Amino acid sequence: MQKRQFLRTAASWTAAVSTPWLAGCAAPATPAADKTMTAEGASPETSAAATPVFADAIYFGGPILTMNDAQPQVQALAVRGELIAAVGDRQAIEALRGPATRMVDLQGRTLIPGFVDPHGHLGGVGLQAISANLLPPPDGPNASIAQLQKTLREYIKTSPEVAQLGMVFGFGYDDSQLKEKRHPTRDDLDAVSRTLPIAVIHQSGHFGALNSVALEKAGITAATPNPDGGVIRRKKGSQQPDGVLEENAFFFTLGKIMPRLTQEQSIQWLEKAQELYLQYGYTTVQDGRTDAGAVATSIAAAKAGRLKVDVVSYPDITHFAEGKAEFMNGPYYSRSYSGHFRIGGVKLTLDGSPQGKTAWLTQAYLVPPQGQKKGYRGYGVLPDAKVNEYVARAVSNGWQILMHGNGDAAIDQMIAAVRVSGPVEKARAVRPVLIHGQTLRRDQIPQLKELGIFPSLFPMHTFYWGDWHRDSVLGNPRAQNISPTGWVLEQGMRFTSHHDAPVALPSSIRVLDATVNRVTRSGKVLGAEHRVSPWIALQAQTLWSAYQHFEDDRKGSLEAGKLADLVILSNNPLTMERRKLATLEVLETIKQGRSLYKKAA
């Protein structure tokens, strides 16, 4: 959520990296090139001849993986101000060493570009950061409803947020990983407290469960009808709500019961989320499906100088009043950041969650969820006409549109909407993005390519829910082909790989491991043909993610003239055992030349 002008011409770095790696490195900047390499983009007051221009820092002594196919690995990298001044062999880079240059010996550790988040919810991670941790192993202790209740009780005793908010939030429970294989109900939560409102959020973010006090606060009774695109689950044999809410029933209710925060409280939540992203090496973060309040908070944080990473926001297009889109007409809708914030486009949600069995499929779920009959295929959020209207609005205005589509029926709906949105060249120009695409069919991929729809996939599901998809959600062979990266590469297309935080922790390492190995919690490989090399997986989290956001001219690879967004890893993901990728650690995160996170020794 920030915006900054990056004054750099393509010529200033294209020539610098065009020489073969072994022939040398990017030459020291000429006076003209240096004009674009100073921190504020201004020309030095003195001539290069009078005052030599040296690097602020030089990194050496370990693998430096550039993510640039033309120059994959170098021996040294020089930083000047906020930008990379040069990359290449160490002897040539040492020409930029001056008396004040900081020499950083990697000591065998690996330097890569900062991770670029292709899909997540920064605001949601802020809520997760102040909530009780209800995640199952390995990210939390909650493998049963009894343990979940224990976690909530301990949280109520110790958390300052309970007194501050007057209610209890828990985040991350997963019915597929609980011993009981069901959602907690109002009765389960009433056993924790009958006086405090309690709302617990499913790890998918598409479900929630409320206790009786929270249901009363939300005004949900036996007479409350299901909203469009949502379900209020009922106690068996009655219309009495059992506390579990699906999709729009949950989203609308959460908005009603959420305490009104001060702007300062909202910014503090944002800062807590930001610190978590930095621990995992992200220097650019996405805030998908934001509402007006979240955008306002981000702008306030940007103006106050409290954002450290670049945050690109995609407001929910369904929240725009007819004929109005205030944020899309203001200065923050831009390809540049201001105070580390910008609005990149809009978001549209077409269906739900496969692990929650609300994703919209063309074939039935293997085991239907509670209350549904055999043949149940999930459901869409909006009718075709409305989806067509929103997509056409985005394309006609030149807004990039991200579309959440997990089920293949939802993806069919998306493809059809893009196809009728206008001339294909205009649609391709906005670079529409398919978010998740977990049941993307092989026959749909050439259509994505034709229409210029960029796939941002979710291979991390293979670890967290792969066994569940195989045994309960989809069955084989559909489960083997969730987030089919192999089929996408087969078509000569790029993709990105995301975490969808707070659905999971924003762990770049878990994303990398899952994209390469596709190993489930039980240790089985799910979809061997969709495993990719560590190099491809890293590109999907750096350079290709920057491309998705129209930022690959200044981010995503280590090239002269690009931002000095860097991450130091504990090992080399290209040479270590692939099955041990999950043991990698982010040791340091550097944004525009400034170290923002260091792992404690």
Side-chain angles (χ1 to χ4, degrees):
M1 307 173 187
Q2 27 170 245
K3 163 186 174 186
R4 175 182 300 254
Q5 294 292 338
F6 299 108
L7 303 175
R8 177 181 60 77
T9 63
S12 69
W13 60 266
T14 302
V17 298
S18 60
T19 43
W21 171 35
L22 293 177
C25 69
T30 64
D34 192 64
K35 180 176 182 179
T36 65
M37 291 188 183
T38 55
E40 299 302 326
S43 298
E45 301 233 346
T46 55
S47 70
T51 307
V53 179
F54 296 117
D56 296 324
I58 292 176
Y59 292 82
F60 67 97
I64 299 176
L65 310 181
T66 67
M67 296 300 105
N68 174 12
D69 287 325
Q71 192 180 26
Q73 187 166 328
V74 296
Q75 294 175 345
L77 176 147
V79 172
R80 184 184 303 128
E82 298 182 347
L83 304 179
I84 298 169
V87 297
D89 69 55
R90 182 176 173 185
Q91 183 177 2
I93 294 292
E94 290 252 6
L96 296 176
R97 181 177 182 177
T101 300
R102 185 167 54 92
M103 301 299 290
V104 183
D105 187 349
L106 295 169
Q107 298 179 327
R109 298 167 299 179
T110 300
L111 186 71
I112 65 169
F115 290 107
V116 177
D117 174 19
H119 184 62
H121 308 272
L122 180 65
V125 174
L127 175 59
Q128 182 184 42
I130 61 91
S131 299
N133 177 8
L134 302 184
L135 291 167
D139 301 319
N142 305 284
S144 68
I145 287 175
Q147 177 61 55
L148 182 148
Q149 291 169 323
K150 179 181 178 183
T151 299
L152 286 170
R153 291 187 185 106
E154 290 173 353
Y155 172 79
I156 289 170
K157 290 177 185 176
T158 60
S159 171
E161 278 81 17
V162 173
Q164 185 184 72
L165 301 176
M167 71 174 299
V168 180
F169 285 105
F171 201 102
Y173 82 87
D174 183 359
D175 57 308
S176 76
Q177 300 302 313
L178 294 174
K179 181 178 69 174
E180 296 82 358
K181 292 291 187 289
R182 65 173 176 83
H183 294 259
T185 65
R186 68 189 296 174
D187 295 333
D188 297 319
L189 299 178
D190 283 348
V192 175
S193 178
R194 293 181 178 273
T195 56
L196 283 167
I198 299 176
V200 297
I201 302 169
H202 189 268
Q203 191 171 3
S204 70
H206 287 256
F207 296 79
L210 277 61
N211 70 347
S212 295
V213 182
L215 287 170
E216 183 179 350
K217 184 175 182 178
I220 296 177
T221 69
T224 306
N226 290 335
D228 291 340
V231 173
I232 300 170
R233 291 193 181 179
R234 317 284 173 165
K235 290 188 174 184
K236 192 172 182 179
S238 78
Q239 285 299 301
Q240 189 69 21
D242 73 359
V244 180
L245 307 174
E246 299 180 9
E247 301 296 340
N248 279 345
F250 169 61
F251 301 142
F252 297 157
T253 300
L254 192 61
K256 289 180 183 178
I257 65 174
M258 179 69 70
R260 187 172 296 278
L261 303 178
T262 66
Q263 187 174 90
E264 176 59 24
Q265 287 173 321
S266 297
I267 292 175
Q268 287 175 1
W269 285 22
L270 212 56
E271 288 177 317
K272 288 181 179 181
Q274 180 176 236
E275 293 305 317
L276 188 59
Y277 276 90
L278 283 168
Q279 290 177 34
Y280 290 110
Y282 285 97
T283 51
T284 299
V285 173
Q286 187 187 107
D287 198 10
R289 201 184 184 187
T290 45
D291 59 21
V295 173
T297 296
S298 299
I299 291 173
K303 287 180 176 178
R306 293 169 70 174
L307 293 178
K308 299 176 182 178
V309 297
D310 287 339
V311 180
V312 55
S313 173
Y314 288 83
D316 190 330
I317 193 172
T318 67
H319 291 181
F320 295 170
E322 189 66 36
K324 293 183 180 180
E326 60 271 30
F327 293 122
M328 308 307 291
N329 299 320
Y332 289 95
Y333 172 56
S334 172
R335 293 280 170 85
S336 298
Y337 289 86
S338 179
H340 289 296
F341 175 70
R342 76 179 180 95
I343 295 172
V346 294
K347 176 81 183 289
L348 181 64
T349 298
L350 303 180
D351 71 341
S353 150
Q355 71 269 37
K357 301 184 180 180
T358 55
W360 185 20
L361 306 175
T362 58
Q363 299 179 55
Y365 282 91
L366 183 65
V367 178
Q370 177 186 330
Q372 299 293 343
K373 298 177 181 178
K374 187 175 181 181
Y376 165 82
R377 298 184 293 111
Y379 49 88
V381 172
L382 296 165
D384 292 347
K386 202 66 181 173
V387 172
N388 293 349
E389 176 188 325
Y390 284 131
V391 174
R393 184 180 182 188
V395 171
S396 66
N397 282 288
W399 301 336
Q400 184 179 38
I401 182 165
L402 315 186
M403 286 174 277
H404 168 120
N406 269 310
D408 61 328
I411 298 168
D412 280 336
Q413 186 183 50
M414 178 201 66
I415 290 170
V418 173
R419 194 175 294 284
V420 300
S421 65
V424 67
E425 296 79 12
K426 198 164 184 178
R428 290 177 67 91
V430 305
R431 198 170 293 161
V433 179
L434 165 62
I435 298 293
H436 305 323
Q438 294 206 62
T439 58
L440 179 64
R441 301 191 310 267
R442 197 170 199 156
D443 67 285
Q444 290 173 322
I445 297 173
Q447 297 178 73
L448 300 188
K449 185 175 183 179
E450 172 200 354
L451 297 170
I453 298 170
F454 189 91
S456 182
L457 303 179
F458 204 175
M460 198 162 72
H461 254 247
T462 56
F463 172 74
Y464 282 105
W465 295 285
D467 296 317
W468 180 243
H469 286 324
R470 184 192 61 238
D471 300 336
S472 183
V473 179
L474 299 170
N476 286 323
R478 283 188 296 169
Q480 299 292 328
N481 296 316
I482 60 171
S483 290
T485 51
W487 293 347
V488 170
L489 291 173
E490 181 181 85
Q491 287 291 319
M493 297 174 66
R494 289 174 283 191
F495 66 90
T496 57
S497 187
H498 60 252
H499 48 67
D500 198 25
V503 168
L505 292 171
S507 172
S508 55
I509 304 306
R510 180 65 69 187
V511 175
L512 175 66
D513 173 62
T515 309
V516 171
N517 291 313
R518 293 180 66 101
V519 173
T520 71
R521 291 179 194 258
S522 66
K524 296 181 174 63
V525 173
L526 194 72
E529 70 176 294
H530 302 299
R531 291 181 293 185
V532 304
S533 70
W535 177 262
I536 291 292
L538 284 170
Q539 284 189 314
Q541 293 179 256
T542 54
L543 184 59
W544 295 355
S545 292
Y547 171 84
Q548 178 188 305
H549 286 141
F550 293 93
E551 296 185 24
D552 53 313
D553 62 331
R554 57 192 185 270
K555 293 179 182 176
S557 60
L558 303 182
E559 301 180 54
K562 288 194 173 185
L563 290 175
D565 291 356
L566 315 171
V567 167
I568 298 175
L569 297 176
S570 58
N571 204 338
N572 185 346
L574 302 188
T575 58
M576 65 185 294
E577 288 186 60
R578 292 188 181 185
R579 63 186 180 87
K580 293 184 178 180
L581 282 171
T583 66
L584 270 172
E585 293 182 299
V586 171
L587 301 180
E588 186 172 2
T589 304
I590 298 143
K591 172 65 179 159
Q592 291 170 232
R594 292 179 56 225
S595 179
L596 298 180
Y597 165 76
K598 278 189 178 181
K599 183 177 173 60

